Amino acid sequence: MARVLSLCRPKPFLALVGRRTPTFYKMSLDSRAREVFAAAIQAVQPDTVVRQSIERKEDIVIIDGRKFTLKNNLHLVGFGKAVLGMAAEVERILGDHLVKGVISVPNGIQQTLQKHGKNHLLLKEDSRIEVIEGAKHNLPDADAQKAAERIKQLASELTEKDLLLVLISGGGSALLPAPVPPISLHEKLDVTRRLAAAGATIQELNTVRRALSLLKGGGLAHFGHPAQVVGLILSDVIGDPLDLIASGPTVCSEVWPEEVVSILQRYSMFNSLPASVKEVLGRPSPRWEKKSEESNTGGNVFNAVIGSNTVALKYASRRARELGLRPVILSPGVCGDVKLVSRLYSLLARFGCSRKEPPPEIAAEMLRLGPDVGVETWDLCRTMQVLEEGRAEGWGATCLLAGGEPTVELTGKGRGGRNQELALRVGVELRNLEHPPKGPVFLSGGTDGQDGPTEAAGAVTDGGLWDEAQAQELDISNFLINNDSYTFFSSLSAGQRLLVPGLTCTNVMDVHILLIPPVPINIDRLL
């Protein structure tokens, strides 16, 4: 193991943070894991991220270090699941300069927020921002298209003296459907659905989707020119790629008809396309020509990611330290098959809980798994280094944090989502380890508060899960085959392991928390 870590050994962890004396905490590991998850969600609340990203100094607003002048010239548009709360906070801070605004938000969200007592995320009755609800069941519909048309109209009327603030969050793509005429919304949806069913990659899908859309791929910024366009983005995509979040309406993406046709021909779809789609793709430019004064540099467009999985993990780390845990952030980009991800976490737990130097096979297997689950070799080496030093120095419990969006292969018709299935699989992997408080605890939760079509965001598990299920005559393998993790956790001990935070009003993908209890100090190693 020492040989593996020596290849990527950073500056000693203890030298960076100083030696600490382990503190005894009565709160259980399960409770502390839930507290850390709650802190992650709180950090990326829509009003919180806006408030922390906008600094007002009289008639100047500072966003991510850039200054913009306010002269009763502010216009606002937005689209996404968290945009209503974002817009409410913007209006509280900059409302005296706001001329008008239009936002496209999910169907029923205002009533839902009222029902859950989230009135601080609602607009005031005298707001200058028009709210249009649409995209029922998270699918583009006529209401969402109406909102997109109103947003396009507002942007198109602006001058070089105006400032257009664009609020973007997860779900924004479905809430901003604007097919290039004469393509209908139904025709555009049909093409993209067929392409997805044929096995097209996400890059291919986005290329085709942008070509058939007026506002995606920089279209909104185009129609807003010559105004100054500022995008405030709450990211729900791994790595925060601006061109993929809500399909990049403020990020110029060149689309060539030849490339789109090539993709459609690759999946044998071109000949069966609607006449309207063929007409659009037959034009020299499939969407719009640049305005004569429009620059290729995008100088009038500024985008800032104000909330992300990375931000959530940062604040979760702070809360973990307050709870007497030693935080270690592994990665905000965990992805890939949930089976591989669960294996990685079980190996990390075994590595961290080992009372002596772990077998080198554990580190070797983790390093092999890393590329398949989106975790860099350097991050794994750094994490193992910290765990090794903690064991040698007698540190307290460790809180390993990660985030991202693993995938689940559907083999059944049960209820649940990737977080509950990940927690269930990790629990199975941990069955030979000690139970808490001497053994590890794992939590996986979706920051949007809903894991699949369930009320739960995820679940908390540990090495006692297997025995607990056996005692209650629950066959874990059958639940996994049927992708029925929610039913399993609901049936197990009256649902006590479920993670149910309620309406979170945000979404920055998932948060994974692995708590590793302190390893008893081997006095002989210190002498």
Side-chain angles (χ1 to χ4, degrees):
M1 180 62 224
R3 190 184 312 161
V4 173
L5 292 178
S6 67
L7 298 176
C8 48
R9 187 176 296 276
K11 187 175 182 179
F13 180 78
L14 295 176
L16 292 173
V17 300
R19 191 180 298 266
R20 292 172 182 254
T21 302
T23 305
F24 178 73
Y25 281 80
K26 292 183 178 179
M27 186 183 293
S28 69
L29 290 179
D30 179 296
S31 297
R32 280 191 269 180
R34 293 173 186 268
E35 283 276 326
V36 171
F37 179 73
I41 289 179
Q42 184 58 42
V44 288
Q45 287 295 294
D47 57 330
T48 300
V49 295
V50 167
R51 191 163 52 249
Q52 292 180 343
S53 63
I54 291 181
E55 182 182 358
R56 173 79 183 268
K57 290 186 177 180
E58 297 182 349
D59 290 342
I60 297 292
V61 59
I62 305 172
I63 300 173
D64 199 22
R66 291 277 294 270
K67 294 182 179 181
F68 303 96
T69 302
L70 300 170
K71 293 181 179 179
N72 296 311
N73 59 343
L74 178 64
H75 298 74
L76 181 147
V77 298
F79 29 91
K81 296 179 179 179
V83 156
L84 186 59
M86 294 170 72
E89 190 63 23
V90 168
E91 191 163 30
R92 272 190 282 270
I93 299 172
L94 307 176
D96 54 325
H97 285 277
L98 179 63
V99 179
K100 62 180 177 180
V102 179
I103 58 174
S104 178
V105 298
N107 184 72
I109 190 170
Q110 295 177 97
Q111 183 178 353
T112 300
L113 289 173
Q114 287 176 336
K115 180 180 177 181
H116 288 82
K118 305 279 188 177
N119 293 328
H120 63 290
L121 299 179
L122 294 170
L123 296 170
K124 297 178 181 179
E125 290 185 5
D126 60 349
S127 172
R128 296 180 180 178
I129 302 172
E130 177 186 3
V131 180
I132 303 176
E133 296 187 358
K136 197 171 184 179
H137 306 304
N138 202 31
L139 295 172
D141 57 17
D143 290 328
Q145 186 169 3
K146 171 189 172 184
E149 290 170 354
R150 291 282 295 110
I151 288 171
K152 174 179 172 291
Q153 178 185 359
L154 184 154
S156 300
E157 294 171 351
L158 302 181
T159 71
E160 68 277 0
K161 298 179 180 180
D162 292 313
L163 174 63
L164 177 63
L165 200 57
V166 183
L167 309 180
I168 303 172
S169 75
S173 185
L175 287 160
L176 196 72
V180 179
I183 301 173
S184 70
L185 180 59
H186 173 76
E187 288 172 332
K188 180 189 169 189
L189 288 176
D190 182 61
V191 170
T192 54
R193 283 171 179 165
R194 287 168 54 199
L195 195 58
T201 66
I202 185 63
Q203 291 81 9
E204 291 171 331
L205 280 168
N206 281 328
T207 297
V208 173
R209 188 183 288 122
R210 283 194 294 264
L212 307 182
S213 303
L214 280 175
L215 299 180
K216 294 177 172 60
L220 179 57
H222 162 79
F223 286 106
H225 190 83
Q228 172 68 60
V229 177
V230 179
L232 298 184
I233 302 168
L234 185 61
S235 171
D236 67 337
V237 182
I238 288 176
D240 308 329
L242 298 180
D243 61 327
L244 293 187
I245 303 169
S247 299
T250 57
V251 182
C252 183
S253 301
E254 294 289 349
V255 176
W256 304 103
E258 297 84 358
E259 182 183 4
V260 179
V261 170
S262 176
I263 292 171
L264 294 167
Q265 288 177 335
R266 188 177 307 144
Y267 295 97
S268 303
M269 285 182 53
F270 185 78
N271 292 335
S272 61
L273 291 175
S276 59
V277 175
K278 289 184 177 179
E279 177 187 336
V280 169
L281 295 179
R283 298 171 185 170
S285 177
R287 298 187 291 171
W288 28 257
E289 296 289 346
K290 280 188 170 65
K291 300 174 184 177
S292 59
E293 74 280 11
E294 192 173 351
S295 169
N296 287 317
T297 63
N300 275 27
V301 180
F302 176 71
N303 289 300
V305 175
I306 62 174
S308 65
N309 194 269
T310 298
V311 172
L313 295 182
K314 174 184 175 182
Y315 283 86
S317 176
R318 290 185 183 180
R319 182 59 178 146
R321 192 175 295 281
E322 292 171 356
L323 293 171
L325 303 165
R326 176 179 50 151
V328 182
I329 297 178
L330 174 65
S331 170
V334 176
C335 59
D337 193 304
V338 71
K339 297 175 186 175
L340 299 179
V341 175
S342 65
R343 179 61 179 165
L344 178 68
Y345 285 129
S346 73
L347 290 169
L348 282 164
R350 293 177 188 280
F351 187 96
C353 291
S354 179
R355 298 196 176 193
K356 55 184 179 180
E357 185 170 306
E361 302 84 57
I362 293 181
E365 186 177 351
M366 279 195 282
L367 294 175
R368 285 197 301 269
L369 276 175
D372 293 328
V373 296
V375 181
E376 297 288 342
T377 297
W378 161 252
D379 289 323
L380 282 169
C381 288
R382 172 180 52 82
T383 300
M384 287 189 281
Q385 172 75 15
V386 173
L387 292 174
E388 270 214 333
E389 290 175 344
R391 175 171 44 252
E393 300 288 342
W395 281 61
T398 297
C399 178
L400 194 154
L401 294 159
E405 200 167 89
T407 54
V408 174
E409 180 184 358
L410 295 178
T411 56
K413 298 182 179 179
R415 298 182 67 201
R418 60 181 178 267
N419 287 286
Q420 292 166 87
E421 180 152 333
L422 176 58
L424 181 51
R425 289 187 179 278
V426 170
V428 173
E429 291 269 5
L430 298 179
R431 64 183 179 272
N432 294 325
L433 294 181
E434 289 191 83
H435 301 180
K438 295 183 178 181
V441 167
F442 178 78
L443 177 151
S444 182
T447 56
D448 62 354
Q450 290 182 311
D451 186 42
T454 75
E455 64 177 0
V460 185
T461 191
D462 54 55
L465 179 78
W466 181 268
D467 291 340
E468 192 176 328
Q470 294 287 95
Q472 297 176 37
E473 299 183 346
L474 296 172
D475 188 338
I476 292 180
S477 60
N478 284 338
F479 285 102
L480 285 173
I481 291 171
N482 197 34
N483 298 118
D484 205 13
S485 54
Y486 177 73
T487 303
F488 169 81
F489 280 114
S490 298
S491 304
L492 184 73
S493 303
Q496 292 181 8
R497 291 180 177 270
L498 283 172
L499 181 65
V500 188
L503 184 69
T504 66
C505 308
T506 191
N507 181 18
V508 293
M509 301 180 291
D510 306 333
V511 170
H512 306 152
I513 302 169
L514 177 62
L515 300 188
I516 300 174
V519 176
I521 301 175
N522 185 337
I523 300 299
D524 293 337
R525 292 185 64 181
L526 299 179
L527 297 178

